[in-house]
Amino acid sequence: MSIPDLTPGAWQTLSILLIVLLLLVTNKVRIDVIGIFILLALGLGGLVQEKDLWAGFGSEAVIVIAAMLAIGEALVRTGIADRLAVWMTRIGGRSERRLMPVMMILVGLLSAFISDLAIVAVFLPVVLGFEQRYKIPASRMLLPLALSSTLGLFTIVGSSSIIVANHALVEAGQPSLSLFSVAPLGFALLTLGTLYVVLCRRWVLPTVTGETEQSRPSIGVPEYLTELLVTETSGWHGQKLKDISFLKENGLNIIRILREDSVYRVRAATVLHRGDILLVTASRDDLLKLRSTPDVSVQKEVQRSLEEQDIHLAGEVIVRSGSDFVGRTLQELRFREKFDVTVVAIYRDGHAISRSLASTRLRIGDMLLLQGARDSMHELSEDTGLIMISQTSHNPQTRKKGPFALLVLALMLLLSATETLPISIAAVLAVGLLVLFQIMSMNSVYRSIEWHILVFVAAMIPLSTAMKETGLIDLMSQSIVSGFGSLSPYALLAATFWLGALITQVLSNTATALLLAPVVISAATAMGISPVPLILSLITGVNASPLTYIAHKVYLVVMAPGGYRFRDYVKFGVPMTLITFAVTMLLVPLVWPF
């Protein structure tokens, strides 16, 4: 089939696919919005039947992804992951050489059941604490942490990319992979990945030389907490805080206001009055600028009513993928008004941004330095769009029910492994038991689910249907077969790996698996070989190929806390990707023959 033979429907589907790829590559539009675009384009174009258009929302892949996210959150909330992190420090000692392999093995095993991002969120504060307690720079530990969270391919529910790839197998009429069928691959990758990091860490991880804590950037907590009196002749009298340009231009952050012996929290719309005392934080240089304005005077004595306020000045959070914060400014988000927390600085691409913060559009991986009350910090840590790294945001509220959470997980695995129940039913049953045992509320279940991923996955499934019905998948698979299939199945296996490894550098691993899985299955069918080896090659390619910091969302998350640059990922990731490729070529055909 040649391109001129494409039907009008095929051209429409191809156009939708290209637009989707463009939107994914530019990373300017949320993936759930992209998913809605796909559904509207397919529906308005009449490219799939109505029942197929919405079939993705009821697919096994979407149900299993949602259920596993909730189960993983239960293990975090009950303190299971937290206790394991503490246990890691006990048996790993105080040296990098001992802590690193223990951490990687533990995180890799946990990632078979807990989402990679949740694991990194749990272990980030622990690893950052190594700097203060054991003098182990964060830059030496965070890349291994991120890597190990992607290597736990021990079950078919360990990654959303495996779940959607397995769904593609089932949709193509192939038998589903069993729960632990991919365990040999996960064991090999985790073992060799750990050995690689431990043996080669001297050469592939950033080193600290000369300056202290060069590995982890310091945003710079304001040096001074002081008070300003709004003078009797002040021009600030009667003005709203948001309208006072002097505050924004000079880096002054007001965190409390004392007025007639009452303490008020700060809002952007708060109107100042003569005699107000403002509790502010600022750098030494910014405070010196106060001499240039007659509107306020620096107080020599701190008011006790303000001194006793519960102020926390060291909060740090990271903007995660899929967050409502991505692409929006603090002003648009009404961040201070909503959370009663002030953003002091933003750390991005190796440097701190401390000016024009309100109008700076946030990106995935941005690290924000915050200040505010501890209660406000705790409330902020509950927001799923941010990862709190400077305090324990994962304090379990139901520690005593940890054993019940483990029993529920074990029951789900037993029912699925013995094929007593399909994995989707077993997973939903597990979530139901978590709610029944009051380990999680339904609201907690809903908050734990990454809805943006589910909407995107649910939309890509009918797009795959349209690609299949219009002949696009056949065209793409025939192109692959004609290019590599004439050589040998091994050439096709290698091509599948590198297609997945390279495309996932610009798309997410789940998006890459959704796009390529139907194509490689069709290619395998055309060659008369089993599609399972190609699917497993695709899975390793999209999960264990950290060539750049955008290869996987966890690498973006550790970028700012670790102070990493692009070259750090290349130096660390290229050898690891070659190891993954070697494992794929040697192990996959041996365990899963063509």
Side-chain angles (χ1 to χ4, degrees):
M1 182 178 181
S2 60
I3 291 182
D5 297 328
L6 292 178
T7 63
W11 281 111
Q12 284 182 267
T13 305
L14 180 60
S15 299
I16 295 172
L17 177 62
L18 293 176
I19 293 173
V20 169
L21 293 177
L22 179 63
L23 293 175
L24 289 171
V25 169
T26 57
N27 200 30
K28 298 294 185 182
V29 181
R30 289 170 45 125
I31 61 172
D32 49 353
V33 176
I34 297 175
I36 294 173
F37 161 74
I38 294 171
L39 294 171
L40 288 174
L42 293 175
L44 294 175
L47 296 171
V48 294
Q49 297 182 25
E50 185 178 0
K51 63 180 181 65
D52 295 325
L53 182 64
W54 310 113
F57 290 97
S59 67
E60 183 182 58
V62 168
I63 293 170
V64 173
I65 291 173
M68 291 309 301
L69 287 171
I71 294 170
E73 177 66 15
L75 296 178
V76 173
R77 289 175 63 87
T78 55
I80 298 299
D82 189 20
R83 293 173 192 174
L84 290 173
V86 174
W87 175 78
M88 173 192 75
T89 60
R90 289 178 180 173
I91 70 170
R94 299 186 176 186
S95 67
E96 175 188 300
R97 182 176 58 86
R98 289 183 58 185
L99 274 171
M100 190 173 288
V102 173
M103 176 193 70
M104 291 190 67
I105 292 172
L106 178 59
V107 170
L109 293 174
L110 284 174
S111 66
F113 312 105
I114 304 176
S115 76
D116 39 43
L117 199 59
I119 292 177
V120 170
V122 169
F123 278 80
L124 253 176
V126 178
V127 172
L128 293 178
F130 293 162
E131 278 190 341
Q132 297 176 341
R133 293 200 303 269
Y134 309 139
K135 306 304 180 185
I136 301 175
S139 61
R140 303 287 294 173
M141 300 293 288
L142 289 181
L143 269 179
L145 169 65
L147 173 66
S148 56
S149 73
T150 66
L151 296 182
L153 308 178
F154 292 92
T155 67
I156 62 170
V157 295
S159 168
S160 57
S161 58
I162 305 180
I163 295 173
V164 298
N166 184 55
H167 174 77
L169 274 176
V170 175
E171 288 294 299
Q174 300 289 329
S176 172
L177 297 172
S178 60
L179 182 63
F180 293 103
S181 60
V182 296
L185 189 59
F187 176 80
L189 288 174
L190 183 58
T191 301
L192 292 177
T194 302
L195 288 174
Y196 157 69
V197 172
V198 172
L199 297 178
C200 302
R201 67 185 190 279
R202 180 180 302 177
W203 301 282
V204 300
L205 291 173
T207 56
V208 180
T209 56
E211 299 178 5
T212 59
E213 293 191 4
Q214 182 178 347
S215 60
R216 185 176 182 226
S218 175
I219 292 180
V221 178
E223 297 180 60
Y224 294 95
L225 177 64
T226 190
E227 293 182 5
L228 306 177
L229 171 66
V230 180
T231 62
E232 291 296 323
T233 59
S234 175
W236 295 4
H237 172 73
Q239 289 196 54
K240 296 180 180 179
L241 284 176
K242 64 180 180 180
D243 297 330
I244 302 176
S245 59
F246 185 90
L247 298 174
K248 300 177 183 178
E249 294 170 357
N250 293 282
L252 299 175
N253 293 286
I254 302 175
I255 54 181
R256 287 293 185 272
I257 299 175
L258 175 64
R259 180 180 299 161
E260 297 178 354
D261 295 328
S262 297
V263 178
Y264 296 89
R265 292 189 174 186
V266 178
R267 298 286 187 268
T270 299
V271 177
L272 294 182
H273 301 295
R274 299 184 186 93
D276 283 352
I277 296 177
L278 316 178
L279 181 65
V280 303
T281 57
S283 68
R284 182 188 189 96
D285 292 339
D286 288 333
L287 285 179
L288 291 175
K289 297 175 184 176
L290 291 170
R291 298 177 179 176
S292 65
T293 176
D295 294 307
V296 290
S297 62
V298 179
Q299 294 288 91
K300 295 181 179 180
E301 295 183 1
V302 176
Q303 299 290 322
R304 180 160 300 278
S305 55
L306 284 176
E307 190 179 46
E308 294 173 349
Q309 287 297 301
D310 185 21
I311 303 298
H312 186 60
L313 299 175
E316 291 174 327
V317 296
I318 294 177
V319 180
R320 58 176 291 176
S321 62
S323 169
D324 290 337
F325 295 77
V326 177
R328 302 175 69 185
T329 67
L330 295 172
Q331 190 171 17
E332 292 172 352
L333 292 165
R334 300 175 64 192
F335 189 89
R336 184 166 183 168
E337 297 177 49
K338 181 178 179 181
F339 298 107
D340 194 24
V341 170
T342 300
V343 177
V344 177
I346 301 173
Y347 188 87
R348 173 189 297 169
D349 297 335
H351 65 278
I353 303 171
S354 56
R355 292 291 186 270
S356 303
L357 294 180
S359 59
T360 299
R361 297 202 174 274
L362 300 177
R363 302 177 187 172
I364 299 172
D366 280 352
M367 185 163 70
L368 314 181
L369 179 68
L370 310 174
Q371 59 188 24
R374 288 179 175 85
D375 290 343
S376 299
M377 289 289 183
H378 178 72
E379 180 182 347
L380 184 63
S381 70
E382 295 293 321
D383 192 290
T384 56
L386 300 171
I387 298 175
M388 184 72 69
I389 64 173
S390 58
Q391 62 182 28
T392 307
S393 60
H394 54 276
N395 284 333
Q397 301 174 353
T398 53
R399 282 182 177 271
K400 294 181 180 180
K401 296 181 180 179
F404 290 102
L406 286 178
L407 285 175
V408 169
L409 175 62
L411 176 63
M412 185 207 75
L413 296 177
L414 178 64
L415 293 174
S416 178
T418 58
E419 299 184 357
T420 303
L421 290 176
I423 181 63
S424 57
I425 298 178
V428 172
L429 174 63
V431 174
L433 291 175
L434 292 175
V435 175
L436 182 64
F437 287 139
Q438 296 184 338
I439 297 172
M440 295 182 73
S441 66
M442 284 304 301
N443 286 337
S444 298
V445 171
Y446 293 141
R447 283 196 299 267
S448 67
I449 296 174
E450 298 183 36
W451 294 102
H452 61 289
I453 294 179
L454 295 191
V455 171
F456 179 73
V457 171
M460 284 294 290
I461 289 174
L463 180 58
S464 296
T465 300
M467 291 171 63
K468 181 178 180 180
E469 292 181 351
T470 58
L472 281 181
I473 287 181
D474 289 338
L475 173 62
M476 297 169 70
S477 64
Q478 287 173 16
S479 299
I480 294 175
V481 171
S482 62
F484 302 97
S486 58
L487 301 176
S488 72
Y490 286 91
L492 187 57
L493 188 73
T496 300
F497 175 88
W498 286 111
L499 278 173
L502 295 176
I503 293 177
T504 201
Q505 305 305 313
V506 292
L507 307 183
S508 70
N509 59 334
T510 303
T512 304
L514 282 165
L515 175 66
L516 293 182
V519 177
V520 299
I521 292 172
S522 179
T525 303
M527 285 189 64
I529 62 174
S530 170
V532 174
L534 300 186
I535 286 295
L536 293 175
S537 179
L538 176 63
I539 288 171
T540 56
V542 302
N543 283 287
S545 304
L547 293 172
T548 67
Y549 61 83
I550 56 176
H552 199 288
K553 54 184 176 292
V554 293
Y555 294 109
L556 272 172
V557 166
V558 301
M559 187 177 186
Y564 297 123
R565 305 293 190 272
F566 180 82
R567 63 178 180 272
D568 296 323
Y569 288 91
V570 174
K571 184 170 66 173
F572 178 81
V574 169
M576 185 63 218
T577 302
L578 293 175
I579 291 172
T580 304
F581 176 63
V583 170
T584 301
M585 297 303 295
L586 295 174
L587 182 64
V588 169
L590 182 64
V591 180
W592 300 274
F594 293 108

